[in-house]
Amino acid sequence: MNDKNFKVIMTVAIVAIIAVIGIGFAAFSTELKINGKGTVKASSWKIRFDNISAASITGTATEVTPPTLSTNDTHIENYNVTFTTPGDSISYTFDVKNEGTFDAKISSIVIGTPSCTGTGDNATQDANNVCKNLTYTLTYDNGSPIAQNDTLTASQTKRLKLTLTYNAAVIASELPSNDVAISDLDATIVYSQD
């Protein structure tokens, strides 16, 4: 056999082998596909106050100015009350609403400590006597305490109660001789994503 015939036969053999391998590979291969779709739904974060009640008054307390909601409903503002006798108390109930799509929890809560400023000759003593007889609380409407890590699930509403009380057991010597202004009636609740 000459070289030329040998090369032709080898070329034909190689082509035949490649064709057989290709057919064999095609016969033993499978193409797998995965098709799908996804959607990211719109989400929101909105915790707000709503539905402030009228004042619930005990004793001779009076409401000078009722509370108002800020334009974004995240602040209860500008309420002003007057107490005349021991045992006076005033409270407001209101809703805290989770109108968002995420569960929320209380990451911190701070209830202010009332500060008192007296007037007249006995200003300091009057202020001290009034402040030590004030109780300022923020609880759930049923009286249970609000605590860090309390949850407010998406679309949930909880009713809260804010109360300022002048102790009924104040003795005569602790009654102020002049008016005492009360400030720092603040409370801050910080909700974060659960």
Side-chain angles (χ1 to χ4, degrees), residues 23 28 58 72 74 83 94-95 113 168 174 179 191:
I23 291 169
F28 294 109
T58 301
N72 62 2
T74 59
F83 291 161
F94 50 91
D95 292 335
T113 302
E174 291 182 339
D179 290 352
Y191 282 93

Side-chain angles (χ1 to χ4, degrees), residues 66-82:
T68 57
L69 281 175
S70 64
T71 54
N72 62 2
D73 299 335
T74 59
H75 291 83
I76 296 175
E77 309 174 306
N78 302 323
Y79 73 93
N80 188 356
V81 298
T82 300

Side-chain angles (χ1 to χ4, degrees), residues 22-103:
I23 291 169
F25 179 75
F28 294 109
S29 68
T30 304
E31 183 177 300
L32 300 176
K33 290 185 179 183
I34 298 174
N35 291 319
K37 293 181 180 181
T39 302
V40 175
K41 296 288 249 174
S43 56
S44 64
W45 178 261
K46 186 170 185 178
I47 311 289
R48 69 181 193 91
F49 290 126
D50 196 16
N51 299 323
I52 301 173
S53 71
S56 174
I57 296 173
T58 301
T60 59
T62 56
E63 178 184 54
V64 179
T65 308
T68 57
L69 281 175
S70 64
T71 54
N72 62 2
D73 299 335
T74 59
H75 291 83
I76 296 175
E77 309 174 306
N78 302 323
Y79 73 93
N80 188 356
V81 298
T82 300
F83 291 161
T84 306
T85 57
D88 284 355
S89 180
I90 196 160
S91 62
Y92 298 98
T93 56
F94 50 91
D95 292 335
V96 61
K97 291 183 166 189
N98 183 348
E99 293 181 345
T101 54
F102 299 101
D103 290 350

Side-chain angles (χ1 to χ4, degrees), residues 6 9-10 17 22 26 35 40 47 50 58 81 92 98-99 105 110 120 122 151 155 159-160 172-173 179 193-194:
F6 179 72
I9 291 172
M10 286 304 281
I17 290 171
N35 291 319
V40 175
I47 311 289
D50 196 16
T58 301
V81 298
Y92 298 98
N98 183 348
E99 293 181 345
K105 71 176 179 179
V110 177
N122 227 8
T151 346
S155 302
R159 194 94 175 130
L160 306 182
S173 63
D179 290 352
Q193 186 178 346
D194 190 17

